[in-house]
Amino acid sequence: MQEVKRLISEIESRVVSLKTQLSSKQLENNRLQDQVNALISKLNQREEELKDFEQKLQSIEQRTPRVSDSTNQNEMIDALVREIDDCISRLKQ
């Protein structure tokens, strides 16, 4: 009888411990889920920004006159590269 009481006590102790661990894991899971949702939201914002930048780039490409002079063409390429670098740095933020 003493052995049965000891086993029951042990089982109760383990159940309490497991309940505590479960509660802790649920809290951690909720915290991580909140982080995932925040990251998904940020990702969606960045994707929208990227779409806007792509549209702006297409608009600039359409407005940019075709130049046969390599000096002017190089200046235009440099300007586009600077704008793309600016867009990339904004996306990294």
Side-chain angles (χ1 to χ4, degrees):
M1 187 65 166
Q2 193 77 352
E3 183 69 19
V4 172
K5 286 182 180 181
R6 188 183 63 76
L7 285 174
I8 290 173
S9 177
E10 245 181 66
I11 290 171
E12 286 176 341
S13 159
R14 287 183 183 175
V15 166
V16 168
S17 174
L18 288 173
K19 276 183 158 180
T20 303
Q21 288 177 359
L22 176 63
S23 178
S24 172
K25 295 299 179 184
Q26 285 174 333
L27 288 173
E28 182 181 2
N29 186 42
N30 290 340
R31 182 184 56 80
L32 291 172
Q33 189 62 45
D34 289 343
Q35 286 180 344
V36 166
N37 291 336
L39 290 172
I40 287 172
S41 175
K42 258 187 179 178
L43 177 62
N44 289 336
Q45 288 174 345
R46 296 299 186 224
E47 286 175 345
E48 287 299 318
E49 286 179 12
L50 179 60
K51 287 178 186 175
D52 289 342
F53 289 135
E54 287 174 341
Q55 288 174 352
K56 287 178 184 177
L57 181 59
Q58 286 177 353
S59 173
I60 289 171
E61 287 174 345
Q62 289 173 354
R63 289 186 311 208
T64 305
R66 302 290 177 224
V67 179
S68 60
D69 182 15
S70 65
T71 303
N72 287 338
Q73 198 170 22
N74 286 339
E75 289 173 5
M76 288 173 32
I77 290 171
D78 289 342
L80 286 173
V81 168
R82 282 191 299 274
E83 186 165 337
I84 291 170
D85 285 343
D86 182 48
C87 294
I88 290 172
S89 69
R90 285 189 212 164
L91 284 173
K92 286 182 180 180
Q93 294 176 352

